[in-house]
Amino acid sequence: MKYAWIENDKIRDVAHDEPSKIYHPDVAALYTTQVPDNAVNGDGWVNGALVKPVVVEPTPAARQWTADNFRTGMTLAEKTKWDNNSAPEIIAIKAELPKELAGATELLDFLVITSVISAETKTKILT
């Protein structure tokens, strides 16, 4: 067993030896609680029980498809159409970007329907 300095139901610090042997008496007086050997700084201490924090894995941000992502997967002929910034369908699509998967798929479907790109290019862009 080790001694810990508990503050607001949280282990502020753990003494790995008898507190009076390693700290000034005024500081050692703060280490009043015996805790299990697996207790570490930052663990919870609620009603005399050790509470390990729950580790939450961050959710990665959803991928965003941009005009450059679209263009990279195109053939040369398709890039020529894509680069035509006077075509209304191209202007409309570029204004909608960036998009997540569902939105990007919808925009690519529109490009296939309007014969700007092929279905194979759509698949290539989405992978």
Side-chain angles (χ1 to χ4, degrees):
M1 290 295 252
K2 303 185 274 189
Y3 285 90
W5 175 353
I6 308 295
E7 192 172 76
N8 298 323
D9 292 333
K10 194 170 190 178
I11 297 176
R12 178 175 175 168
D13 191 41
V14 176
H16 297 285
D17 199 356
E18 180 65 36
S20 61
K21 293 180 184 177
I22 54 176
Y23 298 117
H24 182 278
D26 292 342
V27 175
L30 299 171
Y31 292 81
T32 57
T33 307
Q34 280 192 326
V35 295
D37 289 335
N38 65 336
V40 296
N41 298 350
D43 284 349
W45 188 259
V46 181
N47 297 324
L50 180 65
V51 179
K52 290 288 189 179
V54 176
V55 177
V56 178
E57 294 294 325
T59 303
R63 177 178 173 193
Q64 297 283 314
W65 273 263
T66 65
D68 288 339
N69 297 136
F70 275 30
R71 192 176 191 284
T72 300
M74 295 178 185
T75 65
L76 182 58
E78 292 166 341
K79 286 178 183 177
T80 302
K81 292 178 191 176
W82 179 253
D83 292 341
N84 181 1
N85 289 324
S86 62
E89 64 274 13
I90 302 301
I91 294 168
I93 295 292
K94 288 181 179 178
E96 292 289 324
L97 293 171
K99 287 284 187 185
E100 292 179 9
L101 179 59
T105 302
E106 183 180 344
L107 296 176
L108 289 168
D109 286 340
F110 178 74
L111 291 174
V112 171
I113 291 168
T114 57
S115 300
V116 174
I117 64 171
S118 67
E120 293 78 23
T121 297
K122 172 190 166 189
T123 302
K124 185 177 176 183
I125 290 169
L126 290 175
T127 55

